[in-house]
Amino acid sequence: MDLLDDTPEPRSNQPEFTVSELSGAVKRVIEGEFGLVRVRGEVGRVSRPASGHLYYDLKDDRSVIAAITWKGQAGKLAVMPEEGMEVIATGRMTTFPGQSKYQLIIEDLAPAGAGALMAMLEKRRAALNAEGLFDPARKKPIPYLPQVIGVVTSPSGAVIRDILHRLRDRFPRHVLIWPVPVQGEKCAPEVAAAIRGFNALEPGGPIARPDVIIVARGGGSLEDLWGFNEEIVVRAAAASRIPLISAVGHETDTTLIDHAADRRAPTPTAAAEMAVPVRLELLATLDSLQARLMQGVGRGVMLRGQRLRDLARALPRPEALTQSATQRLDTAASRLGGALSLAVVRKHRSFDALAAKMQPNALQTMLARRGAALQDQSTRAKALLDRRLDRARDRLQSLSARLAPTLTNLAARSARDNTRQREALEKLAQRLDAAPSLRLKSLSERLDRLDRMRQTLGHHETLKRGFAVVYADGQVVTSKAAAEKSSHLEIEFQDGRLSLSPRPPRKAKDAPEQGSLF
C-alpha cells in the first residue's frame, strides 16, 4: 500500500449518528417501551439535597436501578423512602444522557406488604425511643377536672359523637374540636399542626387554651393508621406542653403516638372517661364529706365544751384558796390578846413574890424596869405579828391577781371558740337548706325538657302533618287484611275521629256486586 496515495477511501453504507442523536434514540425507545411500570425492590442509599428532590436506589440481590422523585411529587408520597425498606414503586423509565444511564422516575411509593411496614415501624420506634421521646419520666399527669378539652379528630365521624356523648353523661365540659383528616397523605402534617396549634394558644386569650388534648380515631388497618406512626406526629405529641391522651384505633391497635402521649386510651370513649370524672359520684362524695364535716364540727364543739367544764371543775375557787389562811390568821389574832394578858399576870405574880422579899425602893425600881422590858417585848411581838399578817395579806392578793386573768382568759377563749364554731355551723346549715331547692330546680327543668320531647315525638304531632290512625274494635289496624275483616272502623285525624258504617251483607248471588270501600 502506498502511503503517499491521495485517493479517497470508499465510504461505507452504515449510517453515522451523533452522540446526542444516539442518546435521544435510546431515550425514546426506553420511554416508549416502559411508559408506566411497577417495580418491587429494596431501597438503597437515599439522598435528600437542598433542591428538595429525592435520589435513591432500588435493588435486589443482583441488580440496582437509580430512582428519582421530583420535589413536587415527594410531598405526596404515602411513605418516605428509607434505606433497607422493601417497597413497590410506580413510575416511568427514562434516561439521563449526561451520564449515559437509565433511571426510574417514581411517582408513587408503597411498602411491599405489612411485613415491610412492621419492619419500618419497629426501626422508627427504636430510633425515637433512643432519643428519649418515650421515656415515662417525661409524661405529664392528666388534670383531674379540666375546664376545656381539645379534640383532634375528624368532624364527620362517629368518634367525635362518642366522645361528646360520654362527656355529656359523665361531666359536661367545654370542648374545642380541631378538624383533621385521620388517614391519607394529609393526616400526619395536619395532626401535628393541630397539636402545635393547641399549644400555641395563650392562657386567658380570646380562644380558651385546652387543659388536656385528645387525639382520636376509630379502628382500621395498619395502612389506615399509618399517619399516626409518622415521625412529625410523634415529635409533636412528645413536645406538647398540654397533657395528651392518645385514642387511636381499637384496644389491639398500637401506634407510635401511643408511646409518646401522656396516656393511652383503648378507645375514644375510654379517652373521654379518662379526661373527666363522674359528676354524680363527685356530688355523692361531696354530700358524704359535708355530712362528715357537720358531724365533726358538732362533735368538736361537744368535746371542747366538755373539756372546758372538766377544767372548770378541776380549778379551785379563789375563796377556797384564802379561807384556810384567813381562818388561821383570825385564830392567831384572837389568841394573841389573851396570851399577852396571861403573860403579864404571870409576870406580875412573880414580881409580887420577889417584891415581898426586896426593899420597897429596890422593888419599885425592879418592877419599873421589868414592866418597861415587858412592855418593850409586847411592842416588838405585836410589830412582828403585824409584819407577818401584812406579808400573808400581800401574798394572798398576789395569788388572787394571778388567778383572775387565767380564769378570764379561759372564759374568753371558750366564748371565741364557741362563736366561731356556731358561725361555721350556721353556714353549713344555710348550704344544707339551699341544696334541696337547687336539686329540685334541676330536676324540674329536666322534667320540663322531657315533657316537651314527649309532646314533640307523640302521634298527635304526626297527625298534624297529614297522617291518620285507623282503629278497629278499639285496636290500631296496620294492614289491609285486618281492616277487611273488621265490621266497624274508626279513623282518627288531627281534629277528631270519623266512624265508618259496617258493610251490609249481600242478599242474593245474582245481586249486583257492591264495590269495596277500600
Side-chain angles (χ1 to χ4, degrees):
M1 180 177 179
D2 189 358
L3 298 177
L4 301 177
D5 189 2
D6 295 333
T7 304
E9 295 182 359
R11 302 185 63 182
S12 172
N13 292 331
Q14 188 70 25
E16 297 178 353
F17 297 96
T18 64
V19 175
S20 298
E21 289 174 346
L22 185 57
S23 297
V26 173
K27 182 180 181 69
R28 287 191 295 274
V29 170
I30 292 178
E31 291 182 353
E33 293 294 330
F34 304 97
L36 183 66
V37 294
R38 299 179 75 239
V39 182
R40 182 182 185 126
E42 180 181 339
V43 178
R45 59 170 186 82
V46 180
S47 175
R48 296 179 176 87
S51 62
H53 308 311
L54 295 177
Y55 298 92
Y56 48 100
D57 294 334
L58 291 179
K59 61 182 181 179
D60 55 17
D61 56 346
R62 291 179 294 177
S63 302
V64 178
I65 297 178
I68 300 175
T69 301
W70 303 122
K71 177 181 178 180
Q73 195 67 27
K76 301 178 182 179
L77 293 179
V79 294
M80 299 301 293
E82 297 181 7
E83 188 172 354
M85 182 169 59
E86 187 177 0
V87 297
I88 297 177
T90 303
R92 51 188 177 84
M93 291 295 298
T94 186
T95 63
F96 181 45
Q99 294 182 359
S100 297
K101 70 175 184 179
Y102 62 90
Q103 56 192 7
L104 180 63
I105 308 298
I106 294 179
E107 299 175 353
D108 185 36
L109 198 66
L117 281 177
M118 293 302 297
M120 182 174 63
L121 180 63
E122 182 61 26
K123 180 180 178 181
R124 184 176 296 171
R125 188 195 66 78
L128 295 175
N129 189 27
E131 295 183 24
L133 298 183
F134 304 155
D135 187 2
R138 300 180 62 259
K139 299 186 183 299
K140 299 172 287 296
I142 304 300
Y144 180 70
L145 185 58
Q147 296 295 326
V148 181
I149 300 175
V151 180
V152 180
T153 187
S154 172
S156 59
V159 171
I160 187 61
R161 292 196 296 271
D162 293 342
I163 292 176
L164 295 177
H165 182 268
R166 180 58 66 183
L167 291 176
R168 184 167 56 250
D169 289 344
R170 290 175 66 87
F171 205 119
R173 297 281 87 185
H174 183 62
V175 178
L176 291 179
I177 302 175
W178 195 301
V180 296
V182 292
Q183 69 182 55
E185 60 186 23
K186 295 183 179 181
C187 171
E190 294 201 16
V191 170
I195 297 174
R196 290 193 296 267
F198 275 137
N199 280 269
L201 295 176
E202 294 294 334
I207 300 178
R209 188 173 189 261
D211 299 312
V212 65
I213 299 175
I214 298 177
V215 179
R217 187 205 187 281
S221 63
L222 181 62
E223 291 80 3
D224 294 338
L225 302 178
W226 189 256
F228 299 92
N229 292 318
E230 294 293 347
E231 185 175 348
I232 185 175
V233 175
V234 177
R235 293 189 181 277
S240 175
R241 299 186 303 275
I242 302 174
L244 188 141
I245 300 175
S246 172
V248 178
H250 296 305
E251 188 170 1
T252 57
D253 299 325
T254 302
T255 56
L256 293 184
I257 193 176
D258 295 337
H259 301 287
D262 299 299
R263 289 285 298 274
R264 177 188 180 269
T267 60
T269 302
E273 294 176 355
M274 290 181 183
V276 296
V278 181
R279 184 173 179 270
L280 294 179
E281 293 180 357
L282 291 180
L283 291 176
T285 304
L286 182 60
D287 292 340
S288 176
L289 292 176
Q290 286 179 346
R292 291 177 59 187
L293 179 61
M294 293 181 63
Q295 183 179 1
V297 170
R299 185 174 179 81
V301 171
M302 182 183 67
L303 292 177
R304 296 280 181 87
Q306 183 64 37
R307 181 170 177 79
L308 182 61
R309 288 190 294 271
D310 294 341
L311 291 175
R313 285 195 299 268
L315 288 175
R317 292 179 298 173
E319 295 83 0
L321 294 176
T322 59
Q323 281 177 355
S324 178
T326 304
Q327 186 176 2
R328 289 197 303 271
L329 180 62
D330 293 340
T331 302
S334 62
R335 292 172 59 187
L336 181 60
L340 289 176
S341 300
L342 182 60
V344 170
V345 170
R346 288 177 181 177
K347 292 295 183 179
H348 275 297
R349 287 177 181 177
S350 62
F351 289 160
D352 291 342
L354 292 175
K357 299 177 180 181
M358 297 177 63
Q359 297 180 0
N361 293 334
L363 181 60
Q364 292 179 355
T365 303
M366 184 180 64
L367 288 176
R369 187 181 300 118
R370 292 292 182 89
L374 185 61
Q375 185 69 29
D376 186 39
Q377 290 178 359
S378 176
T379 302
R380 286 200 302 269
K382 187 176 181 180
L384 179 60
L385 183 60
D386 290 339
R387 287 196 299 271
R388 288 183 178 179
L389 287 175
D390 291 339
R391 285 198 297 270
R393 204 174 282 111
D394 293 341
R395 184 179 179 187
L396 182 60
Q397 292 178 355
S398 176
L399 290 175
S400 300
R402 290 171 58 186
L403 185 60
T406 303
L407 295 176
T408 304
N409 291 337
L410 286 176
R413 189 180 305 167
S414 176
R416 288 196 299 270
D417 292 342
N418 289 335
T419 302
R420 286 197 299 268
Q421 292 168 359
R422 191 177 297 106
E423 291 176 354
L425 190 60
E426 290 177 356
K427 292 181 180 178
L428 291 175
Q430 292 175 0
R431 293 177 59 185
L432 183 62
D433 294 339
S437 60
L438 294 177
R439 182 62 175 169
L440 289 176
K441 182 180 179 182
S442 175
L443 293 176
S444 177
E445 293 177 352
R446 183 179 179 186
L447 183 62
D448 292 341
R449 292 195 298 269
L450 292 176
D451 185 63
R452 290 195 296 271
M453 183 181 296
R454 179 188 62 78
Q455 294 178 1
T456 303
L457 300 179
H459 79 284
H460 294 289
E461 298 296 328
T462 306
L463 294 177
K464 293 180 181 179
R465 296 196 293 271
F467 293 89
V469 182
V470 180
Y471 296 91
D473 300 329
Q475 302 294 328
V476 177
V477 178
T478 59
S479 64
K480 176 182 176 184
E484 290 178 346
K485 293 178 182 180
S486 302
S487 60
H488 180 75
L489 297 178
E490 188 177 9
I491 303 176
E492 181 180 3
F493 295 96
Q494 173 191 354
D495 52 352
R497 294 193 180 189
L498 175 63
S499 297
L500 300 180
S501 301
R503 182 173 53 191
R506 297 181 182 177
K507 296 181 179 180
K509 294 184 178 179
D510 55 353
E513 183 179 0
Q514 182 179 356
S516 174
L517 177 64
F518 302 101

